[in-house]
Amino acid sequence: MKDFWAGGLQNRRKGRILKAILLGIIIFLILLVLILSIIYYNNIEFRSWCDENVIKKEVLQEEVNTIEIDKDDNIQVYAYDKYICILKNKTLEFYNRVGSKVDSIEIDIVNAEFASSGRYLTISEKNGQKFYLISGREKIYENTIEGNITEINVSRNGYVSIVISNTTVKSVVDIFDRTGKEIFKTNLVNSIAIDTSISQDSNYLAIAEVDITGIIIKSSVRVVSIEQAEIIYRYEAPTGSLITSINYQEKNKLICMFDDSIGILDGENYSELLKYENNKLAFVTIGLSNRVVLVEETSTGEYTSDTNVRIINPNNNKTKQYNTSNVAKAILTYSNKIALNFGTELHIIGTNGILIKKYKSNSEINDIVMTDNLVAIVYNDNIAIINF
C-alpha cells in the first residue's frame, strides 16, 4: 500500500515537471516570436533576408495567373475593387483574381478615362460628354454633359465630380449623387480647375484652381458644402506656388500638393506638412487613404543609385521607410498600397514600409493597374495578376 501511494506521488511530481517544461517551452516560443517580430520590423537587413528566404514574398512571372489579350484590339485595362476590367469594342469585361471572365456590360465609349473609389467606378469619354457610374458589375446610370470632360472623380459613396471645359466660362465643376441626379454646378470665371476631390463622407467638394489671367500665377482651393451648395472656405496659396493635385484623406483632411510643398487643409486651418528641399526627389504622391509618399534617389556609383521611399503620416508626421538598391521608373498607389516599378521588378509595399510582394518579370514592365486587392501587369499578349 505504501509503494502504491509513493508511486502515485512520484507520477504527480513527474506530471507537474512535464507541465512546467511544456509551459516553459511555450513561453520561450512566444518570447522568440516576439523578439523576431521586433527585429523584423526594425532591422531592414534582417527583414529583407526573411522576406526572401523565409516568407518567400518573391513571385516570378511564370508562377502567376494570366489573362490572354490581343493588343491589336485597341483595348484599355483598368482595375478596381476586386476586378480587372478590359474595355474593347465598347464592351467592358470583368475578370476575377484568378483571371476568369465573370461578366461584361455594354459601354458606349471608345477612348475612356477611368476613376474609382471603393466599389464605385466611373468611365467617361476622353474630352467627350458621356460618362457612366458602375458599382460592382452593375451599371448604375449613364449621363451626358454640355462641354468636354477634362477630369472625373468619384467618392467612396458614389458621388461624382466632373471638370468641364469649352463652356462660356474657363471651367465648370459639376457634381452628381449616386443616382445620377445633378446636385449643383460651380462656375470658375477667372480660373481653371486643376483637380477636384470629394470628402469620404460626401459632405464636401474641394476644387483646386489656378488663376492665369494675371502676370503672376495664383493658386487657391475652395471648399464647397455639397448639402448647402455654397462655398464655406477658400484658401489662397502664396504667390508663385502652383497647385498640382488635392486628395481628401481620412477625417476630412484635404491634402494639397504644390510644385514646392505639401500641406493639409483641416476645416479652415492650413498647415504645411513639408517643403521640397531635396533635389533628389523622383516621385511624390498623395493618392493614398492616409499617407503621403516621397521617393528619393541617391547615387551610389557612376551608374547605380539607391531608392528611398518615405511614407509620411500627415496626422502625426511620423515616417516609415523602404529602401532598395534599384532605381524606380514609376510609382502607383491605391488606398494603402504602393507599387514601385523598377523595370523588370515590381515591389509592392504597405504604408508601414513592409514589403508585401516582389514580382520578377521576364521583360520590361510598362503598364500597371492596381487595387487594394491585386496588381495587374499589362503585356502585349497577356495580363499577369498578382494577388495580395
Side-chain angles (χ1 to χ4, degrees):
M1 189 70 175
K2 188 184 292 185
D3 291 340
F4 173 79
W5 287 110
L9 183 61
Q10 187 175 13
N11 288 335
R12 284 197 295 272
R13 285 175 179 171
K14 285 182 179 179
R16 285 196 293 268
I17 292 170
L18 287 173
K19 286 180 181 178
I21 292 172
L22 184 61
L23 181 61
I25 292 171
I26 293 172
I27 293 172
F28 171 77
L29 291 174
I30 292 172
L31 289 173
L32 181 63
V33 171
L34 183 62
I35 292 168
L36 290 175
S37 297
I38 293 171
I39 297 173
Y40 178 84
Y41 281 101
N42 292 280
N43 188 298
I44 295 174
E45 292 182 0
F46 178 73
R47 186 195 309 159
S48 298
W49 182 87
C50 286
D51 288 343
E52 184 175 347
N53 298 287
V54 180
I55 308 177
K56 303 292 185 183
K57 291 185 177 181
E58 184 176 294
V59 60
L60 304 179
Q61 180 177 344
E62 51 268 23
E63 297 173 341
V64 300
N65 293 314
T66 60
I67 302 169
E68 300 301 316
I69 60 171
D70 186 350
K71 290 288 279 191
D72 293 335
D73 288 342
N74 191 27
I75 68 168
Q76 289 182 266
V77 182
Y78 190 76
Y80 89 105
D81 195 15
K82 56 187 178 180
Y83 301 108
I84 297 167
C85 300
I86 298 177
L87 178 63
K88 64 177 181 180
N89 301 324
K90 295 187 177 182
T91 300
L92 187 68
E93 299 176 344
F94 295 86
Y95 293 81
N96 61 20
R97 296 163 61 99
V98 297
S100 298
K101 183 178 175 181
V102 292
D103 211 341
S104 65
I105 55 177
E106 298 301 312
I107 299 289
D108 188 20
I109 285 177
V110 177
N111 192 8
E113 291 283 355
F114 299 91
S116 63
S117 181
R119 60 190 181 92
Y120 288 101
L121 168 70
T122 58
I123 306 177
S124 63
E125 186 73 52
K126 192 171 185 179
N127 295 318
Q129 291 79 41
K130 181 169 287 189
F131 71 97
Y132 294 81
L133 178 68
I134 295 166
S135 178
R137 308 196 302 264
E138 179 185 357
K139 188 193 304 180
I140 304 300
Y141 68 82
E142 61 181 271
N143 211 333
T144 56
I145 53 93
E146 294 181 3
N148 296 111
I149 298 172
T150 57
E151 183 177 325
I152 189 165
N153 283 305
V154 62
S155 75
R156 63 173 56 181
N157 290 332
Y159 281 54
V160 177
S161 62
I162 300 175
V163 178
I164 305 168
S165 62
N166 289 343
T167 60
T168 55
V169 295
K170 288 191 177 299
S171 287
V172 174
V173 178
D174 211 346
I175 187 163
F176 299 82
D177 67 15
R178 65 175 65 88
T179 68
K181 177 184 176 183
E182 183 184 67
I183 303 175
F184 63 86
K185 286 182 180 178
T186 300
N187 296 322
L188 280 63
V189 179
N190 297 316
S191 59
I192 297 172
I194 301 298
D195 196 10
T196 64
S197 184
I198 302 171
S199 62
Q200 294 186 355
D201 58 9
S202 296
N203 287 334
Y204 305 103
L205 167 69
I207 304 171
E209 52 190 287
V210 175
D211 185 348
I212 56 174
T213 57
I215 299 174
I216 301 173
I217 293 175
K218 295 180 181 179
S219 296
S220 62
V221 179
R222 69 172 74 185
V223 178
V224 182
S225 167
I226 292 177
E227 183 180 2
Q228 299 169 8
E230 62 181 31
I231 300 173
I232 58 173
Y233 182 68
R234 187 186 184 97
Y235 169 72
E236 300 285 348
T239 302
S241 289
L242 177 64
I243 194 161
T244 56
S245 64
I246 55 176
N247 183 39
Y248 266 113
Q249 295 192 354
E250 293 176 357
K251 300 178 182 179
N252 282 349
K253 290 188 176 182
L254 183 70
I255 310 299
C256 307
M257 186 162 74
F258 295 85
D259 62 345
D260 58 358
S261 63
I262 294 177
I264 306 170
L265 189 58
D266 188 4
E268 297 185 1
N269 300 313
Y270 183 85
S271 59
E272 190 173 84
L273 180 65
L274 58 93
K275 194 87 172 175
Y276 303 152
E277 297 176 351
N278 188 348
N279 58 7
K280 298 175 183 177
L281 279 176
F283 304 100
V284 181
T285 179
I286 59 174
L288 289 156
S289 295
N290 194 29
R291 293 293 187 274
V292 172
V293 177
L294 287 80
V295 180
E296 302 168 332
E297 290 180 0
T298 305
S299 177
T300 56
E302 189 174 356
Y303 301 105
T304 58
S305 294
D306 286 346
T307 294
N308 171 245
V309 183
R310 291 169 54 201
I311 306 163
I312 304 169
N313 185 333
N315 295 317
N316 53 28
N317 225 8
K318 290 184 177 179
T319 300
K320 298 291 185 181
Q321 295 196 46
Y322 179 79
N323 299 302
T324 180
S325 57
N326 294 313
V327 178
K329 287 181 54 183
I331 180 174
L332 187 65
T333 59
Y334 191 96
S335 186
N336 61 355
K337 302 290 191 307
I338 304 159
L340 298 161
N341 181 2
F342 295 105
T344 56
E345 275 191 14
L346 185 70
H347 295 196
I348 304 156
I349 61 175
T351 50
N352 56 3
I354 303 298
L355 179 72
I356 299 172
K357 289 283 185 182
K358 180 190 291 185
Y359 171 81
K360 286 197 172 183
S361 174
N362 298 328
S363 57
E364 196 78 6
I365 298 170
N366 293 314
D367 195 10
I368 305 167
V369 294
M370 72 180 296
T371 74
D372 207 25
N373 300 299
L374 58 87
V375 170
I377 297 96
V378 184
Y379 296 101
N380 287 327
D381 56 357
N382 68 76
I383 301 169
I385 306 168
I386 308 168
N387 292 302
F388 308 141

